[in-house]
Amino acid sequence: MALTKADIAQTLSDTFGFNKRESKELVEEFYQEMSDVLEQGEQIKLSGFGNFELKDKNARPGRNPRTGEDVPISARRVVTFKPGQKLRAQVDNYGEN
Amino acid sequence: MTKSELIERIARKQTQFTQKDVELAVNQILDSMIESLSEGDRIEIRGFGSFSLHYRKARMGRNPKTGEKVALSEKRVPHFKPGKSLRDRVNASRETTDIIS
């Protein structure tokens, strides 16, 4: 089962006693704020978790893998995520405990 | 932008929580995300994106300094796929903003 905003809000209510509506708003606000920051061209470093970086990609020739047809890929800006040390270590221990 | 700057921004935008509460909440959000991925579960945040695990096979690697061969065991690495809304917003901002590191 995938973790969702509703699950995270529930954890905030349970852990800190925030009411449900406020917890939902806080979770919403967190992801909204990160999106806004990235949209403003600013990268985000969350120590322990990882970095959200922005990259400007040049246009390049591409191909539809199904039809083999040439399709040009336009220049674009993309978000990439570099997992931090703590996250990588925890995930790598998966199944070993 | 760092985590503490992000916490300040969120705290400034609302009135219900103290900055301390926002800090607790942000740390808990990140801990819940780490926990979910370490248990092998995906994360799906509508509008923002999804986090999943990508599997890397065991392989022979090389120490780039000494050239010596080293066996690398299989592993799982976290992967983020931005959601359509974030992808579109970030791409649209290309024309008007420079990337600030």
Side-chain angles (χ1 to χ4, degrees), chain B residues 22-64:
Chain B
V22 174
E23 186 179 346
L24 287 172
V26 165
N27 284 323
Q28 181 58 56
I29 292 171
L30 295 173
D31 282 347
S32 293
M33 293 172 78
I34 293 178
E35 191 184 316
S36 180
L37 286 171
S38 352
E39 285 166 1
D41 286 335
R42 295 167 49 79
I43 305 170
E44 284 173 12
I45 306 297
R46 185 144 306 181
F48 187 73
S50 60
F51 296 82
S52 59
L53 298 181
H54 281 187
Y55 173 76
R56 300 268 181 270
K57 276 193 216 152
R59 63 185 175 90
M60 289 305 287
R62 256 175 215 283
N63 179 329

Side-chain angles (χ1 to χ4, degrees), chain A residues 3-61:
Chain A
L3 184 79
T4 63
K5 284 188 277 201
D7 299 323
I8 299 173
Q10 184 67 54
T11 303
L12 293 184
S13 302
D14 295 347
T15 312
F16 304 116
F18 301 156
N19 80 43
K20 285 219 165 109
R21 187 183 48 80
E22 289 173 341
S23 299
K24 269 191 185 158
E25 283 171 12
L26 201 45
V27 172
E28 205 62 58
E29 190 63 27
F30 173 71
Y31 293 107
Q32 192 56 55
E33 208 52 48
M34 290 221 287
S35 304
D36 290 351
V37 169
L38 291 167
E39 188 180 24
Q40 287 155 16
E42 193 165 348
Q43 322 205 45
I44 305 174
K45 297 181 178 180
L46 302 176
S47 72
F49 188 75
N51 299 346
F52 293 90
E53 301 176 353
L54 295 165
K55 292 209 167 73
D56 281 329
K57 305 266 198 185
N58 291 324
R60 61 187 170 92

